[in-house]
Amino acid sequence: MDFTNSNNLFSEAKRYIPGGVNSPVRAFKSVGGNPVFFERGVGSKMYDVDGNEFIDYIGSWGPHLFGHNPPFIKSALIEAIDNGTSFGAPNELEVKMAKIIKELVPSVELVRMVNSGTEATMSAIRVARAYTNKEKIIKFEGCYHGHADYFLIKAGSGALTLGVPTSPGVTKSNAADTLLADFNNIESVKNLINQNKDNIAAIIIEPIAGNMGVIKADENFLVQLRNLCNEEKIVLIFDEVMSGFRVAAGGAQEILGIEPDLTTFGKIIGGGLPVGAFGGKKAIMQMIAPEGQVYQAGTLSGNPLAMAAGYAALSYIKEHPEIYVQLEKNSSYLEQGFKENLKKLNKNFAINRVGSMLCMFFTEAEVNDYKSAVSSNTELYAKYFHEMLNAGIYLPPAQFEAMFISTVHSLNDLDNTIKAHYNSLKKVIN
Ligand code: HOZ
């Protein structure tokens, strides 16, 4: 494949943008080589500036459940743009959005719109601290909750990929308020609670981790976590920026049957536009200004474009529950294809999948936490990634990310991907 135009753009980008990109993972640092610059996305495909076509499995890191640029989101956006881009004042779509989120995710009694998942998690922690009048938080090793200072402690996603899970620039005092537990290990949580008696405001977790590859929290572990939070008056926050509306209309909490106190959402509720939200129990959420005293604000929060796209996406989800059947069908077909390839190649790499989130780890260990995830051979992933790229398959440019499958990945797309998977693996494992 020829990447001349992408390479040229990257050289130019580096003159004006740190590292040439606006978000680190997409720079290809962990897989080597130069990033691909894209021009357009349609359905399951993306087209780069050199005219190459790719079957896309990133889907803008989750939101493109229905593929790129689905007609119903496009027309909602066109209609909204005719009326203006931002008011900095209330509009009706915000009310419709809040209502539909509450309908689809019953644990959300009140919801506040923000502009990204990072803002959502930051704000959720602030209100949890105010509600409990306590300061420390517990997060899990390898979970990623955006880039606020107190989350960049052994974080997943780009931080993990680039080998800086705890970022310079995070103050010691900020880091001291974040306690780290092991994913799927309730004893590690109990120990932290005992060592910090009556000072834990919140426990935040991705119930389906999507930033250290894909790892589903064990159901029994979550039940115990819920009980502990009740007993110790700790706010339980589910970060569903990736899993919300993707694994089910009601997110991970629906399929796992556990109600958090607060939930954070991201890009998916904006149909791919810059958006986020946090919501949950009324008693907590009504502490947010102007109803309460916890300050949280934003001019672009609830802007009519994001609301229009988001409302179109969520309405589609509500009216078409069969999309989750289709997503499951496509995703399990891909998983089975990958598994058969591995069998033929005599490899037993771990494949974790929850609905349409999938990750193949280059390790034969069972992957259920951060330590097992990082036992993956990332050099092998990098080689595999480039083989797949050259075969026209666009995967996450890092081992510790999820593949996202859409409703519009055709049988032909999936078969081509399975074929490329076999050929790529065959080349790199020998
Ligand atoms: N941190 C994101 C994936 N978990 C990647 C964001 C991006 O590069 O767009």
Side-chain angles (χ1 to χ4, degrees), residues 91-106 108-113 245 265 269 277-279 302 307 310-311 314:
N91 67 85
E92 189 185 353
L93 279 166
E94 294 170 278
V95 186
K96 288 183 159 176
M97 266 299 267
K99 203 169 156 191
I100 200 166
I101 292 172
K102 186 174 151 88
E103 262 174 64
L104 295 172
V105 189
V108 173
E109 293 173 345
L110 287 176
V111 61
R112 168 64 59 88
M113 303 304 304
F245 307 101
F265 300 105
I269 53 164
F278 65 103
M307 294 303 96
Y311 187 65
L314 297 190

Side-chain angles (χ1 to χ4, degrees), residues 21-27 58 60-61 144 156-159 210-211 242 267 397 400-402 404:
V21 289
N22 283 312
S23 190
V25 175
R26 56 180 90 157
I58 295 188
S60 193
W61 302 99
Y144 180 74
S157 190
N211 288 288
M242 289 205 166
K267 43 216 159 206
F400 306 116
E401 300 285 352
F404 295 98

